[in-house]
Amino acid sequence: MRKKRTLLLTTFSIILLLSGCINKTVENSGKLDEKNDMKQLIEEQEIQIKELEKKNEELQDTLSSIKTDLNYTKEEADYYNQLIDELISDYSEAQLEDLAKKLWDYELEVNGLAVPKNGIVEVQKNIIEISLIQSQPAYVVLSDDIFIRGKISDNYNDHLKFNSNPSETYYTDGTVVTGVHHKFVNVEKGATISFSITEELKKRLGLDISEITIKKN
């Protein structure tokens, strides 16, 4: 009986000892895994930092190149402005106004295509969009009072007169290009849309006629 009790105690002690060793091993293993995870995280962050530093260098090089190009462009613009000033210094008032008119450009389009000289347009689509676009140069080489004289009189969009009301009218407005757009939707086959333009606009566009006719085929 005593031997049996001794054996049980010995067995229990061994189990406790083994359990403690296992727990310690598991604990050490957990710490090792945590250490490895931290090391991997640091390595990944170092790689990201190097990539960001490389991108920053590339951006700095690009910025430096842009600044160089901008300075060159400014110098070139100053040179040509000075040259133009010398060329037009002897221009009369009429010559300056004629030059100003050439700096303002006008386009009349139907579904993105220029209206021909005879003013007759044939389309296939049942949506017809008529656009009048006004453009001016990005750099003005004339004084403001002369330059503005080259613009078409009043508002350019007032130079179109429709015989029927468009389904929709909207405007586009950019720094140097603006436009007015008149849209007709669900135009039936065989229908005709007509509108007139002023004599002033006709001359600017180089058209032979002031009555524009659009035929839906």
Side-chain angles (χ1 to χ4, degrees), residues 85-107:
D85 287 341
E86 292 175 358
L87 289 173
I88 65 175
S89 59
D90 295 329
Y91 272 31
S92 66
E93 195 82 1
Q95 287 175 313
L96 288 174
E97 288 187 7
D98 186 56
L99 176 59
K101 287 181 179 180
K102 293 177 180 178
L103 295 177
W104 290 87
D105 185 59
Y106 294 89
E107 298 176 25

Side-chain angles (χ1 to χ4, degrees), residues 52-70:
L52 289 173
E53 288 175 344
K54 183 179 179 180
K55 288 182 179 179
N56 184 55
E57 290 178 0
E58 292 174 350
L59 288 173
Q60 290 295 332
D61 291 340
T62 302
L63 179 61
S64 177
S65 177
I66 291 174
K67 286 182 177 179
T68 301
D69 291 342
L70 181 60

